[in-house]
Amino acid sequence: MRKIFQLLLFTTLPFFLMAQTPDSIPVFDYSSPQSYEIGGIKITGANFSDENALLAISGLRVGNQIRIPGGDIPRAIKALWRLRLFTDVQIYKEKTIGDVVFLEVVVEERPQLSRHSFKGVKKSYHDDLNDVVNQYLIKGAIVTENIKNDACVGIENFFREKGYLDAKATVKEIADSGTNKVRLVFNIKRNERIKIQDIIFTGNTIKANKLRRKMDATKRKRRLFASSKLIKPDYELDKDLIINYYNTLGFRDAKVLSDSIWRNEDGNLMVQINLEEGNQYYFRNIVWKGNSIYDTPTLEKVLGIVSGDVYNTELLNTRLQFSQDGRDVSTLYMDNGYLFFSVEPIEVAVVGDSIDVELRIFEGPQATIDKVVIKGNDRTHEHVIRRELRTRPGQKFSRTDIIRSQREIVNLGYFNPETLGINTPVNPQRGTVDIEYTVEEKPSDQLELSAGWGGRGRGVIGTLGVSFNNFSIRNIFNKESWSPLPQGDGQRLSLRAQTNGRFFQSYNISFTEPWLGGKKPNSFTVGAFYTALSNGIDRESTNYSSLGILNFSFGLGTRLKFPDDNFISNTTINIQTLSLNNWARGDFLDDDGVPIGFGDYNNFSINQTFSRSSINDPIFPKSGSRFSLSMQFTPPYSAFSNSDRNYAEERPEERFKWLEYHKWRFTGEWFTQLVGDLTLRTAVKIGMLGYYNRDIGTSPFERFQLGGDGLANQQTGLLGFDLISLRGYEIEDLPASNGGAPVFAKYTAEIRYPLSLNPSSTIYVLAFAEGGNSWNTFRDFNPFDTRRSVGMGLRVFLPMFGTLGFDYGLGFDKNLINPTGNPFQDYGNFNIILGFEPE
């Protein structure tokens, strides 16, 4: 339309120039063009544009010679049109004096944008829509029809990507009074979401459901929890995924012949994909060329593909280049320093349904690590990171060592695992490689703070706890290193105090040096805690009861090299005294069920723990496993005492004055990445408390209480027994756990999905199935006799506060059917998680 308008303007231009009043100058004779000198130029209508700039762009100058008619005036009009600032441009003859002409340039300016708004959609969409239209609209810029149309199309495409294929957007231009500015109001009609009714395949021998599952984004609406919408780019990628799947099955010639998309009578989408599968192919001869470091049988064993296997190029490339489990030819070479190694599979013959493949290897020279560079550590001292690395200058390059170093850096807990970068610049002339680790610090210290007034008789109720996980004790007297505390050496200092008025008080302090001496990963931990509980009444009262526990511990840990260097050994010496005064809660029972309420008891024990961890992330593991086997034992005092001593006739405070026992615990966790970030966690926990002397029996302390949320051990310090959570059941629901049980077992399966993996707030939801039970003797132990529960939960990990969240578990037991016949019992419990993950 604009070009037509310009054409009409140019053809009628002579008439504009001839227009005059009866008193005006004579009409130009266009039959004989003449040359004129421009005597003056006046611009009319340019209220918001610079007149001098417009004159310069038009090319017309006072004093210049122009011909009328001629090309000068049309060129000036075109130049002003190209600015796109005007809706109309005209040039008139104002007057002529002899051969001098005076011109008037008349323009009509386009309006400028003042602001925009949306109607017809919820405010929750506005921020996203602003991002869309801001690609086209600029405040203060000229508003054109093209810009308005582009903004409307952008809005419609935004909603179409969300499945609203019938979305429509129109725009209304509203003038701001007294200015040359307009406000744009976008009227949006989203309409109903259009879902995919069905996806149909033709020409396929593979089941349609298998093919549909290979499509990541394009789903049918009948699938539970699946988003059913058609997005063209994603749909094209999904067709490629189907062909890739066919290729893994040996159908190397498979292709999409055509596809159709239409709306059915209900308005939903129907998708039909027409396939041609072709023949299925198999490996025949696999020949290695260029290998001298490793012989052919070694390479064939790593490859794991033999003649007759289905021809799968994806599997072939994985076994050649990079496999998640490290079982590939490239890792074999690169772990031996051959950084420049490459292998190229070539199809050399296709005979019937069989394919011959030649694997051409370039081994290259070995590469040596020159420099190891660490960047981005603005709080953590470099030696803390460097001592965890498996890559050191002078060593041969090893891909496995780099992957392990990456995992060790993440497991420190000081850095963002999502942004950890590794770069390997190569110097081929020298045969060396530098390794650069780029880290991003994240908060690692934790604060626990709560306070309240318990009312008369209870006093202050509160908790104050701090954990400095990257502490530096050597800089404690260096004021310049306080920010706000000395940090950066990887040491851990924990202080905690908790009170519930007169009923409960607990104080805890611990310090850990992870590299004692600084040369080997030998950790040293020293800690102490004091816990005091009472019934809150006056100490002078005969009904006053109390429990006091004082504990000191010293631990030494070391990283083992056998069976592999993922194993850690930790040995801890515990010196503990327990003082009971009229303690009548029934927390401690002997084997005959007699409660222990009076006396002072000494618990001197040595705890030996062997653990192994190969998880990839300490906060939200997606792969790997964790195992722990601990053995805690006291000296067998009764073996050194008088053999005529009759323990059965002694009072508990005499019989158990020096506790003797052996205690065993095993914990195993496995993490499996299912699809994307969806992760399966399976776990097993088993514990047993044994005795040396049958006459003394099982210790009333150090037993296991199964059920509830398992918070008390962490919230209040040690209470003389281990609390193991069992979601869906309280401790009272498991009779053997009342007073503590010598044996327990617990099994867990969790499905986890992260809502946010941001290191400042990691959030994930979970669904679980759990089973467990406790027994009074090891002879009663039956791993299949469990109380089971199902439920769901939420976790939020905040670096400053640890883990926050909740679980709701609903317990059920096939042996306990209530009168209504519903297997679900009144065992549902709602657990709050504060500052840690319970056992």
Side-chain angles (χ1 to χ4, degrees), residues 76 171 225 311 381 408 421 564 594 641 664 691 721 724 737 808:
V171 59
F225 301 125
Y311 187 75
H381 298 150
E408 295 298 334
D564 61 40
V594 177
S641 64
W664 305 76
Y691 54 79
F721 46 80
I724 314 297
S737 287
Y808 181 77

Side-chain angles (χ1 to χ4, degrees), residues 25 106 195 411 459 471 506:
I25 15 184
V106 180
K195 298 184 178 181
N411 287 340
F471 192 68
S506 178

Side-chain angles (χ1 to χ4, degrees), residues 545-770:
S545 67
S546 66
L547 166 65
I549 304 176
L550 178 63
N551 187 92
F552 297 93
S553 62
F554 308 89
L556 183 64
T558 185
R559 190 175 296 165
L560 304 179
K561 295 183 179 180
F562 179 83
D564 61 40
D565 58 5
N566 288 310
F567 279 86
I568 294 176
S569 169
N570 195 294
T571 305
T572 303
I573 296 176
N574 295 291
I575 304 171
Q576 184 181 97
T577 61
L578 301 96
S579 299
L580 282 71
N581 177 24
N582 194 28
W583 192 249
R585 281 183 15 179
D587 292 329
F588 312 110
L589 307 175
D590 64 12
D591 287 343
D592 296 326
V594 177
I596 309 298
F598 293 90
D600 296 326
Y601 304 89
N602 301 298
N603 184 4
F604 174 78
S605 65
I606 299 176
N607 186 300
Q608 175 62 52
T609 300
F610 296 100
S611 60
R612 184 185 189 276
S613 175
S614 60
I615 61 173
N616 65 336
D617 185 343
I619 306 303
F620 187 83
K622 299 178 186 176
S623 62
S625 59
R626 281 189 295 218
F627 298 96
S628 174
L629 174 64
S630 68
M631 300 159 283
Q632 183 176 345
F633 53 90
T634 65
Y637 300 107
S638 60
F640 310 123
S641 64
N642 188 344
S643 59
D644 297 331
R645 184 175 177 181
N646 189 349
Y647 292 100
E649 295 181 357
E650 293 182 349
R651 293 181 303 170
E653 53 265 34
E654 296 175 351
R655 188 179 0 142
F656 299 114
K657 183 176 181 60
W658 289 91
L659 301 179
E660 60 174 49
Y661 59 86
H662 54 92
K663 184 177 181 180
W664 305 76
R665 286 196 59 175
F666 172 78
T667 299
E669 291 180 283
W670 297 263
F671 298 89
T672 306
Q673 194 166 353
L674 300 177
V675 179
D677 290 330
L678 188 66
T679 302
L680 170 66
R681 171 185 174 263
T682 53
V684 58
K685 299 177 187 289
I686 298 175
M688 185 195 74
L689 180 67
Y691 54 79
Y692 299 119
N693 191 319
R694 186 182 301 273
D695 293 335
I696 296 177
T698 307
S699 169
F701 306 97
E702 298 292 339
R703 297 191 179 199
F704 308 103
Q705 286 196 0
L706 184 66
D709 51 25
L711 296 181
N713 260 359
Q714 303 288 340
Q715 291 286 81
T716 64
L718 293 176
L719 296 176
F721 46 80
D722 292 358
L723 274 175
I724 314 297
S725 69
L726 184 63
R727 293 170 287 194
Y729 296 90
E730 300 297 340
I731 295 174
E732 296 79 10
D733 298 326
L734 286 80
S737 287
N738 293 307
V743 184
F744 87 95
K746 173 185 170 184
Y747 315 98
T748 303
E750 284 183 356
I751 297 290
R752 299 176 168 188
Y753 186 78
L755 304 179
S756 169
L757 291 177
N758 190 318
S760 63
S761 59
T762 301
I763 306 172
Y764 63 91
V765 293
L766 60 90
F768 65 85
E770 198 160 75

Side-chain angles (χ1 to χ4, degrees), residues 77 215 271 404 430 495 530 697 704 713 730 745-746 799 812:
I77 293 176
M215 304 176 76
V271 178
R404 180 62 185 275
R430 298 178 55 192
L495 304 169
Y530 174 71
F704 308 103
N713 260 359
E730 300 297 340
K746 173 185 170 184
F812 61 97

Side-chain angles (χ1 to χ4, degrees), residues 106-279:
V106 180
V107 297
E108 184 177 335
E109 291 181 312
R110 292 184 183 275
Q112 296 175 332
L113 177 66
S114 62
R115 61 187 186 278
H116 68 269
S117 59
F118 305 101
K119 291 179 63 177
V121 292
K122 297 179 180 178
K123 288 186 178 181
S124 57
Y125 283 114
H126 286 196
D127 288 341
D128 292 332
L129 291 175
N130 283 331
D131 293 337
V132 172
V133 300
N134 286 342
Q135 301 175 47
Y136 312 102
L137 303 179
I138 300 175
K139 189 174 181 179
I142 298 299
V143 178
T144 67
E145 291 299 321
N146 285 343
I147 289 176
K148 292 191 291 185
N149 290 336
D150 289 344
C152 288
V153 170
I155 292 172
E156 292 172 355
N157 289 336
F158 169 80
F159 282 104
R160 284 171 184 155
E161 290 181 359
K162 296 183 177 298
Y164 299 97
L165 301 184
D166 295 334
K168 296 294 181 184
T170 58
V171 59
K172 183 178 181 181
E173 192 174 291
I174 301 175
D176 284 350
S177 58
T179 66
N180 189 37
K181 294 186 176 183
V182 294
R183 174 168 55 92
L184 298 182
V185 179
F186 292 94
N187 294 293
I188 303 169
K189 190 174 182 181
R190 192 180 62 177
N191 294 314
E192 293 295 324
R193 188 193 298 269
I194 306 301
K195 298 184 178 181
I196 300 174
Q197 182 68 38
D198 202 359
I199 303 174
I200 304 169
F201 296 94
T202 64
N204 58 302
T205 59
I206 306 299
K207 290 184 179 180
N209 280 337
K210 287 188 176 181
L211 299 179
R212 294 188 189 102
R213 285 196 292 268
K214 297 301 173 182
M215 304 176 76
D216 283 345
T218 312
K219 306 292 183 182
R220 298 186 296 175
K221 71 174 186 177
R222 67 190 66 180
R223 184 176 171 187
L224 188 63
F225 301 125
S227 175
S228 177
K229 56 188 176 183
L230 183 70
I231 302 174
K232 280 286 187 178
D234 292 341
Y235 172 61
E236 296 298 325
L237 293 176
D238 282 342
K239 289 193 292 184
D240 292 338
L241 291 177
I242 292 173
I243 299 305
N244 292 340
Y245 175 62
Y246 267 105
N247 293 159
T248 64
L249 301 177
F251 296 94
R252 65 191 291 270
D253 300 327
K255 59 184 177 180
V256 175
L257 294 176
S258 62
D259 64 318
S260 303
I261 302 173
W262 70 94
R263 304 276 284 270
N264 62 12
E265 61 274 8
D266 296 328
N268 291 320
L269 292 175
M270 298 290 293
V271 178
Q272 179 172 310
I273 301 175
N274 304 313
L275 299 168
E276 182 179 291
E277 294 180 337
N279 296 325

Side-chain angles (χ1 to χ4, degrees), residues 392-458:
R392 292 179 171 83
Q395 292 180 344
K396 289 186 295 185
F397 177 85
S398 171
R399 177 196 284 174
T400 298
D401 286 346
I402 291 179
I403 295 174
R404 180 62 185 275
S405 297
Q406 180 183 21
R407 196 184 83 197
E408 295 298 334
I409 292 174
V410 170
N411 287 340
L412 285 173
Y414 308 147
F415 309 106
N416 181 0
E418 302 295 317
T419 59
L420 177 60
I422 300 177
N423 189 27
T424 55
V426 177
N427 188 335
Q429 291 76 22
R430 298 178 55 192
T432 61
V433 57
D434 295 340
I435 302 178
E436 298 176 354
Y437 298 93
T438 303
V439 298
E440 178 188 342
E441 300 265 9
K442 69 174 186 179
S444 58
D445 297 333
Q446 296 178 353
L447 171 67
E448 184 181 359
L449 178 62
S450 64
W453 178 254
R456 185 176 180 181
R458 299 183 68 91

Side-chain angles (χ1 to χ4, degrees), residues 330-398:
S330 178
T331 297
L332 180 68
Y333 273 90
M334 289 192 177
D335 282 353
N336 198 17
Y338 291 92
L339 174 62
F340 309 102
F341 164 84
S342 65
V343 56
E344 183 178 7
I346 304 295
E347 294 180 3
V348 295
V350 180
V351 181
D353 64 350
S354 300
I355 298 177
D356 293 342
V357 177
E358 189 173 280
L359 304 176
R360 299 174 183 175
I361 290 177
F362 171 75
E363 294 177 333
Q366 286 181 307
T368 303
I369 299 174
D370 185 13
K371 292 184 292 185
V372 178
V373 181
I374 300 171
K375 301 178 179 178
N377 53 312
D378 51 12
R379 288 198 302 270
T380 304
H381 298 150
E382 184 170 310
H383 74 274
V384 174
I385 306 171
R386 193 171 292 277
R387 68 193 183 189
E388 300 292 338
L389 302 181
R390 305 304 171 94
T391 53
R392 292 179 171 83
Q395 292 180 344
K396 289 186 295 185
F397 177 85
S398 171

